[in-house]
mmCIF file of all heavy atoms in Angstrom:
data_model
loop_
_atom_site.group_PDB
_atom_site.id
_atom_site.type_symbol
_atom_site.label_atom_id
_atom_site.label_comp_id
_atom_site.label_asym_id
_atom_site.label_seq_id
_atom_site.Cartn_x
_atom_site.Cartn_y
_atom_site.Cartn_z
ATOM 1 N N SER A 679 -35.003 -68.114 2.132
ATOM 2 C CA SER A 679 -34.086 -68.928 2.930
ATOM 3 C C SER A 679 -34.634 -70.315 3.233
ATOM 4 O O SER A 679 -33.938 -71.135 3.832
ATOM 5 C CB SER A 679 -33.739 -68.199 4.230
ATOM 6 O OG SER A 679 -34.871 -68.063 5.064
ATOM 7 N N ARG A 680 -35.869 -70.623 2.832
ATOM 8 C CA ARG A 680 -36.412 -71.981 2.991
ATOM 9 C C ARG A 680 -35.878 -72.908 1.908
ATOM 10 O O ARG A 680 -35.852 -74.129 2.106
ATOM 11 C CB ARG A 680 -37.945 -71.995 2.880
ATOM 12 C CG ARG A 680 -38.743 -71.183 3.882
ATOM 13 C CD ARG A 680 -38.431 -71.542 5.294
ATOM 14 N NE ARG A 680 -37.441 -70.637 5.838
ATOM 15 C CZ ARG A 680 -36.770 -70.849 6.969
ATOM 16 N NH1 ARG A 680 -36.919 -71.987 7.622
ATOM 17 N NH2 ARG A 680 -35.901 -69.969 7.421
ATOM 18 N N ALA A 681 -35.489 -72.351 0.763
ATOM 19 C CA ALA A 681 -35.084 -73.158 -0.380
ATOM 20 C C ALA A 681 -33.727 -73.805 -0.121
ATOM 21 O O ALA A 681 -32.762 -73.122 0.218
ATOM 22 C CB ALA A 681 -35.030 -72.301 -1.643
ATOM 23 N N MET A 682 -33.632 -75.089 -0.308
ATOM 24 C CA MET A 682 -32.391 -75.811 -0.092
ATOM 25 C C MET A 682 -31.545 -75.874 -1.367
ATOM 26 O O MET A 682 -30.365 -75.574 -1.364
ATOM 27 C CB MET A 682 -32.690 -77.216 0.396
ATOM 28 C CG MET A 682 -33.456 -77.262 1.712
ATOM 29 S SD MET A 682 -34.171 -78.892 2.072
ATOM 30 C CE MET A 682 -32.704 -79.862 2.414
ATOM 31 N N ASN A 683 -32.136 -76.287 -2.465
ATOM 32 C CA ASN A 683 -31.415 -76.514 -3.718
ATOM 33 C C ASN A 683 -31.743 -75.498 -4.803
ATOM 34 O O ASN A 683 -30.853 -75.008 -5.477
ATOM 35 C CB ASN A 683 -31.724 -77.910 -4.280
ATOM 36 C CG ASN A 683 -31.308 -79.033 -3.364
ATOM 37 O OD1 ASN A 683 -31.187 -78.862 -2.169
ATOM 38 N ND2 ASN A 683 -31.088 -80.199 -3.916
ATOM 39 N N ILE A 684 -33.041 -75.251 -4.999
ATOM 40 C CA ILE A 684 -33.525 -74.474 -6.143
ATOM 41 C C ILE A 684 -34.482 -73.391 -5.657
ATOM 42 O O ILE A 684 -35.338 -73.646 -4.803
ATOM 43 C CB ILE A 684 -34.270 -75.367 -7.158
ATOM 44 C CG1 ILE A 684 -33.374 -76.499 -7.659
ATOM 45 C CG2 ILE A 684 -34.787 -74.521 -8.319
ATOM 46 C CD1 ILE A 684 -32.366 -76.124 -8.681
ATOM 47 N N LEU A 685 -34.342 -72.185 -6.233
ATOM 48 C CA LEU A 685 -35.280 -71.103 -5.979
ATOM 49 C C LEU A 685 -35.721 -70.506 -7.312
ATOM 50 O O LEU A 685 -34.888 -70.081 -8.112
ATOM 51 C CB LEU A 685 -34.645 -70.014 -5.112
ATOM 52 C CG LEU A 685 -35.492 -68.745 -4.897
ATOM 53 C CD1 LEU A 685 -36.733 -69.055 -4.060
ATOM 54 C CD2 LEU A 685 -34.668 -67.634 -4.237
ATOM 55 N N ASN A 686 -37.024 -70.504 -7.552
ATOM 56 C CA ASN A 686 -37.623 -69.824 -8.698
ATOM 57 C C ASN A 686 -38.604 -68.777 -8.180
ATOM 58 O O ASN A 686 -39.436 -69.077 -7.307
ATOM 59 C CB ASN A 686 -38.368 -70.805 -9.602
ATOM 60 C CG ASN A 686 -37.460 -71.597 -10.550
ATOM 61 O OD1 ASN A 686 -37.926 -72.243 -11.479
ATOM 62 N ND2 ASN A 686 -36.159 -71.543 -10.329
ATOM 63 N N VAL A 687 -38.502 -67.552 -8.718
ATOM 64 C CA VAL A 687 -39.423 -66.482 -8.330
ATOM 65 C C VAL A 687 -40.173 -66.011 -9.576
ATOM 66 O O VAL A 687 -39.556 -65.676 -10.590
ATOM 67 C CB VAL A 687 -38.684 -65.292 -7.693
ATOM 68 C CG1 VAL A 687 -39.706 -64.232 -7.247
ATOM 69 C CG2 VAL A 687 -37.847 -65.747 -6.500
ATOM 70 N N PHE A 688 -41.504 -65.985 -9.490
ATOM 71 C CA PHE A 688 -42.349 -65.538 -10.593
ATOM 72 C C PHE A 688 -43.086 -64.266 -10.179
ATOM 73 O O PHE A 688 -43.737 -64.229 -9.132
ATOM 74 C CB PHE A 688 -43.354 -66.623 -10.982
ATOM 75 C CG PHE A 688 -42.723 -67.834 -11.614
ATOM 76 C CD1 PHE A 688 -42.242 -68.867 -10.835
ATOM 77 C CD2 PHE A 688 -42.595 -67.925 -12.987
ATOM 78 C CE1 PHE A 688 -41.650 -69.985 -11.408
ATOM 79 C CE2 PHE A 688 -42.000 -69.039 -13.575
ATOM 80 C CZ PHE A 688 -41.536 -70.067 -12.780
ATOM 81 N N PHE A 689 -42.987 -63.233 -11.024
ATOM 82 C CA PHE A 689 -43.660 -61.969 -10.778
ATOM 83 C C PHE A 689 -44.824 -61.836 -11.765
ATOM 84 O O PHE A 689 -44.632 -61.890 -12.981
ATOM 85 C CB PHE A 689 -42.710 -60.782 -10.974
ATOM 86 C CG PHE A 689 -41.504 -60.792 -10.076
ATOM 87 C CD1 PHE A 689 -40.343 -61.474 -10.442
ATOM 88 C CD2 PHE A 689 -41.502 -60.104 -8.872
ATOM 89 C CE1 PHE A 689 -39.223 -61.477 -9.630
ATOM 90 C CE2 PHE A 689 -40.383 -60.105 -8.052
ATOM 91 C CZ PHE A 689 -39.248 -60.792 -8.432
ATOM 92 N N ILE A 690 -46.031 -61.647 -11.234
ATOM 93 C CA ILE A 690 -47.195 -61.333 -12.066
ATOM 94 C C ILE A 690 -47.471 -59.844 -11.902
ATOM 95 O O ILE A 690 -48.032 -59.400 -10.905
ATOM 96 C CB ILE A 690 -48.430 -62.157 -11.653
ATOM 97 C CG1 ILE A 690 -48.124 -63.652 -11.664
ATOM 98 C CG2 ILE A 690 -49.603 -61.837 -12.587
ATOM 99 C CD1 ILE A 690 -49.245 -64.514 -11.104
ATOM 100 N N ASP A 691 -47.026 -59.062 -12.877
ATOM 101 C CA ASP A 691 -47.082 -57.607 -12.749
ATOM 102 C C ASP A 691 -48.032 -57.013 -13.779
ATOM 103 O O ASP A 691 -47.734 -56.967 -14.966
ATOM 104 C CB ASP A 691 -45.689 -57.008 -12.933
ATOM 105 C CG ASP A 691 -45.710 -55.481 -12.799
ATOM 106 O OD1 ASP A 691 -46.593 -54.971 -12.080
ATOM 107 O OD2 ASP A 691 -44.854 -54.822 -13.403
ATOM 108 N N ASN A 692 -49.162 -56.561 -13.323
ATOM 109 C CA ASN A 692 -50.144 -55.931 -14.208
ATOM 110 C C ASN A 692 -50.022 -54.417 -14.218
ATOM 111 O O ASN A 692 -50.951 -53.712 -14.638
ATOM 112 C CB ASN A 692 -51.559 -56.338 -13.795
ATOM 113 C CG ASN A 692 -51.884 -55.902 -12.371
ATOM 114 O OD1 ASN A 692 -51.071 -55.289 -11.675
ATOM 115 N ND2 ASN A 692 -53.078 -56.224 -11.935
ATOM 116 N N GLY A 693 -48.885 -53.918 -13.781
ATOM 117 C CA GLY A 693 -48.663 -52.485 -13.736
ATOM 118 C C GLY A 693 -48.886 -51.853 -12.388
ATOM 119 O O GLY A 693 -48.576 -50.676 -12.174
ATOM 120 N N LYS A 694 -49.392 -52.631 -11.413
ATOM 121 C CA LYS A 694 -49.697 -52.084 -10.099
ATOM 122 C C LYS A 694 -48.716 -52.541 -9.011
ATOM 123 O O LYS A 694 -48.803 -52.075 -7.881
ATOM 124 C CB LYS A 694 -51.119 -52.484 -9.687
ATOM 125 C CG LYS A 694 -52.211 -51.972 -10.602
ATOM 126 C CD LYS A 694 -53.580 -52.432 -10.113
ATOM 127 C CE LYS A 694 -54.689 -51.948 -11.035
ATOM 128 N NZ LYS A 694 -56.032 -52.411 -10.560
ATOM 129 N N MET A 695 -47.811 -53.461 -9.372
ATOM 130 C CA MET A 695 -46.964 -54.045 -8.343
ATOM 131 C C MET A 695 -45.582 -53.400 -8.279
ATOM 132 O O MET A 695 -45.129 -52.994 -7.213
ATOM 133 C CB MET A 695 -46.814 -55.549 -8.582
ATOM 134 C CG MET A 695 -46.059 -56.273 -7.487
ATOM 135 S SD MET A 695 -46.197 -58.075 -7.602
ATOM 136 C CE MET A 695 -45.351 -58.380 -9.135
ATOM 137 N N LEU A 696 -44.913 -53.255 -9.403
ATOM 138 C CA LEU A 696 -43.554 -52.726 -9.421
ATOM 139 C C LEU A 696 -43.575 -51.219 -9.679
ATOM 140 O O LEU A 696 -43.043 -50.718 -10.663
ATOM 141 C CB LEU A 696 -42.712 -53.461 -10.475
ATOM 142 C CG LEU A 696 -42.625 -54.979 -10.302
ATOM 143 C CD1 LEU A 696 -41.767 -55.586 -11.390
ATOM 144 C CD2 LEU A 696 -42.063 -55.333 -8.926
ATOM 145 N N ILE A 697 -44.173 -50.485 -8.765
ATOM 146 C CA ILE A 697 -44.301 -49.036 -8.882
ATOM 147 C C ILE A 697 -43.034 -48.376 -8.357
ATOM 148 O O ILE A 697 -42.607 -48.636 -7.235
ATOM 149 C CB ILE A 697 -45.532 -48.533 -8.106
ATOM 150 C CG1 ILE A 697 -46.799 -49.187 -8.676
ATOM 151 C CG2 ILE A 697 -45.632 -47.017 -8.185
ATOM 152 C CD1 ILE A 697 -48.046 -48.867 -7.895
ATOM 153 N N HIS A 698 -42.430 -47.478 -9.168
ATOM 154 C CA HIS A 698 -41.132 -46.915 -8.827
ATOM 155 C C HIS A 698 -41.207 -45.525 -8.203
ATOM 156 O O HIS A 698 -40.173 -44.932 -7.920
ATOM 157 C CB HIS A 698 -40.247 -46.852 -10.080
ATOM 158 C CG HIS A 698 -39.739 -48.180 -10.511
ATOM 159 N ND1 HIS A 698 -40.529 -49.120 -11.122
ATOM 160 C CD2 HIS A 698 -38.500 -48.753 -10.386
ATOM 161 C CE1 HIS A 698 -39.818 -50.211 -11.379
ATOM 162 N NE2 HIS A 698 -38.603 -50.015 -10.955
ATOM 163 N N SER A 699 -42.408 -44.986 -8.010
ATOM 164 C CA SER A 699 -42.488 -43.662 -7.398
ATOM 165 C C SER A 699 -41.925 -43.712 -5.988
ATOM 166 O O SER A 699 -42.106 -44.697 -5.265
ATOM 167 C CB SER A 699 -43.939 -43.163 -7.372
ATOM 168 O OG SER A 699 -44.761 -44.053 -6.621
#
Side-chain angles (χ1 to χ4, degrees):
S679 66
R680 299 304 96 194
M682 300 165 70
N683 299 24
I684 302 282
L685 174 67
N686 280 193
V687 183
F688 292 87
F689 300 87
I690 305 173
D691 180 28
N692 61 0
K694 299 180 181 179
M695 186 168 65
L696 303 180
I697 300 174
H698 286 74
S699 60

